[in-house]
Each structure stands twice: as structure tokens, then as C-alpha cells.
Amino acid sequence: MAELSTLARPYAKAAFEFAVDAKDLQGWAQSLATAAVVTQQPAVVKLLGSPSSTAALQAATVIDICGEALNAAGQNFVVILSENRRLTLLPQISQQFEIMKANREKAIDVEVTSAQTLDAAQQQMLTEALSEKLERKVNMQVSLDKSLLGGAVIRAGDTVIDGSIRGRLTKLAETLNS
């Protein structure tokens, strides 16, 4: 997996720099995400893996399926990827582009799983506290998990804050068993 991300990095960086210069980060993010989904479809995977399909055919197919989701620059990007036999890297390129975009925007996606429904005021307080602690704009997604018994689990990138009762009971059990 690390090899794919290494191969995808220069393409993601080039796309990101172009998008910054064009002041179209969101447009490029959407285009790359669309193209990434297209390249993961079974028929397209088969085409991309076929040694008999030409780079031009592969690029034309991806561009046709993406339709208006790709502007002229996005289409050129797909052609370049195709010529270099790198269309299969589009999911990794899109993922790395999103990380670069979030870093530039100083934003982070946070997933909160709670035992009870959080009202708007609680969500706002949590968003403000996490924004201050993480020093980033927080885009929060809240989900419900009754198996937590109480509290919440917060995931922000590589950081996990387990404030659930189930998590605390697990830690207690580990402490008692050691």
C-alpha cells in the first residue's frame, strides 16, 4: 500500500499546486474524487488492466464516463496519467489531494460516536473545544452507538479520544488483569 501512495504523491502534489494557482481547490477535489470512483468500477478496472487497451482508449473512456465532472485541465490530467499508466492511482491521488487541501485550509474531519444523541448546543460546544485543542477548523460528523453505554469516542485523523464508559471499563479490566 505504501508503494501506491509513493507513486501517487507527485501527481497529487502537481494537481494540488495547479488547483491552488487556479484558485479551484474544491473543483479539483470533486473532479479527482469522481475520476477515482470511475476507475474503481469493475468494467473500468478490467479495461485498465488489459494489456491490449491503449493509453488513449483508457483516457477517453474515463473522460467519457466522468462527463462534465472533468473540466479541460482535469481531462488533460487524466490523459497524462493514462500515458504514464497511472490511472489506477486515482483513488490514492484523490486521497492525498484531500489531505493537502485540508492542511491548506487548516481543517480536519472529526468523527464523534456517542451513546446518546447530541443536541445542537452540545455539538457546537464540542466543535469549539476541538477547534481550540487541534488548532484547526473542525468538520464534525456525529453518529450514534448505543453499545457505548455512555460518553463518546472522538476520532480526528490519527487521534482517538475514548471517553466512553465501555472504553473506560475495558481499560479497567486490562489494568486488573495485568
Side-chain angles (χ1 to χ4, degrees):
M1 192 65 88
E3 182 180 323
L4 293 178
S5 64
T6 302
L7 292 171
R9 189 171 298 115
Y11 295 103
K13 186 175 179 188
F16 181 76
E17 289 172 358
F18 184 86
V20 168
D21 290 343
K23 294 179 174 65
D24 189 22
L25 282 175
Q26 188 59 36
W28 268 85
Q30 291 173 344
S31 294
L32 289 172
T34 301
V37 169
V38 166
T39 60
Q40 292 176 317
Q41 298 306 309
V44 177
V45 169
K46 185 176 178 182
L47 175 74
L48 297 179
S50 172
S52 63
S53 67
T54 64
L57 173 65
Q58 292 176 354
T61 302
V62 171
I63 290 168
D64 286 345
I65 294 171
C66 289
E68 293 187 17
L70 292 179
N71 60 17
Q75 291 176 5
N76 288 339
F77 187 69
V78 168
V79 169
I80 290 168
L81 288 174
S82 178
E83 289 171 353
N84 293 319
R85 296 286 186 193
R86 299 288 191 239
L87 280 174
T88 56
L89 294 177
L90 268 165
Q92 288 80 17
I93 293 169
S94 177
Q95 181 181 31
Q96 289 185 21
F97 184 94
E98 285 294 336
I99 292 168
M100 289 182 225
K101 179 177 172 275
N103 285 336
R104 179 171 177 90
E105 295 172 344
K106 295 268 185 200
I108 189 165
D109 291 328
V110 175
E111 179 186 332
V112 177
T113 307
S114 66
Q116 297 176 351
T117 305
L118 299 177
D119 63 29
Q122 291 171 321
Q123 288 183 26
Q124 183 63 31
M125 282 181 20
L126 187 56
T127 299
E128 290 171 3
L130 288 171
S131 291
E132 186 176 319
K133 175 134 177 98
L134 300 172
E135 298 176 346
R136 295 186 181 272
K137 178 184 171 217
V138 172
N139 302 319
M140 191 164 61
Q141 298 291 324
V142 180
S143 61
L144 194 62
D145 183 357
K146 296 282 187 184
S147 69
L148 292 179
L149 304 176
V153 177
I154 301 169
R155 289 182 179 83
D158 293 340
T159 304
V160 177
I161 302 168
D162 189 350
S164 68
I165 292 175
R166 183 176 70 183
R168 290 179 186 174
L169 289 173
T170 302
K171 286 179 190 174
L172 178 63
E174 288 173 2
T175 303
L176 292 174
N177 289 332
S178 59

